Amino acid sequence: MDAFLLSLSAVAIAEIGDKTQLLALVLAARFRKPLPIIAGIFVATIVNHALAAELGILIANWLTPEILSWILGVSFIAAGIWMLVPDKVDELGEGVVQRYGPFVTTVIAFFLAEMGDKTQLATIGLAARFHDLLAVASGTTVGMMLANVPAVLLGDVAAKALPMQLVRGTAATIFIVLGVVTLLEVTGLV
C-alpha cells in the first residue's frame, strides 16, 4: 500500500503545472469532448508508466541497494529543482488532430509528452525502490488522472484559479525533502 500511495501522491503533485497538464488543457479546448480525452490520457499513462516501472525494477536488479538509494535521492532532488521551471506545451500538428480525432491524438500526444518527463522518471525510481510494478504503475496512473481529469473538465477556469507558483514550490519542496531524507538514510545519518 505504501508503494501505491507514495506513487499516487508523488505524481499527482508533480503533474500540477506540468506540460502534460497543459496538454490536457489544450486538448480540452481544441476538441471539447472530455470523455475521449480522459480515456486517451488513461491509456497513454498506463502503458507509459507500466513500461517505466518495469525499467525501474530491471535497473534495481542490476544495482546494489546503496547505489540505488544514492540515485533515487539525487533523482528526487533533481525532480524537485526541475519542478520550479514552468513547462510549456507545443501546439499539436493540425494534421494529427484532424486525422485521428480526440482519443488517438490524446494517446499519441500524452505518450510522447511523458517520455523523459519527471513523472516518468519518478515512476522508474519508485519502481526501483519498491520492486512492485502493479502498485507503482497503478499509483502513478491514478495520480496522473487526479491531476489531469480536472484540467480536462474545468479547462481554463482551473488553470487560472490555481496559484501555480505556490503549487510548484510546494511540490518541489516535497521532492527535495524526499531526496534529502533518502540520502541521509543511505549515509546512516537518519
Side-chain angles (χ1 to χ4, degrees), residues 144-161:
M144 180 74 80
M145 298 308 290
L146 286 174
N148 286 305
V149 169
V152 172
L153 296 176
L154 300 176
D156 289 333
V157 175
K160 291 175 186 172

Side-chain angles (χ1 to χ4, degrees), residues 53 57 64 89 99 135 180 189:
I57 291 169
T64 66
V89 65
R99 185 173 188 181
V180 169
L189 297 174

Side-chain angles (χ1 to χ4, degrees), residues 55-75:
L55 178 62
I57 291 169
L58 289 172
I59 290 170
N61 290 332
W62 295 333
L63 302 174
T64 66
E66 186 176 74
I67 292 172
L68 188 61
S69 292
W70 278 101
I71 292 170
L72 187 61
V74 170
S75 296

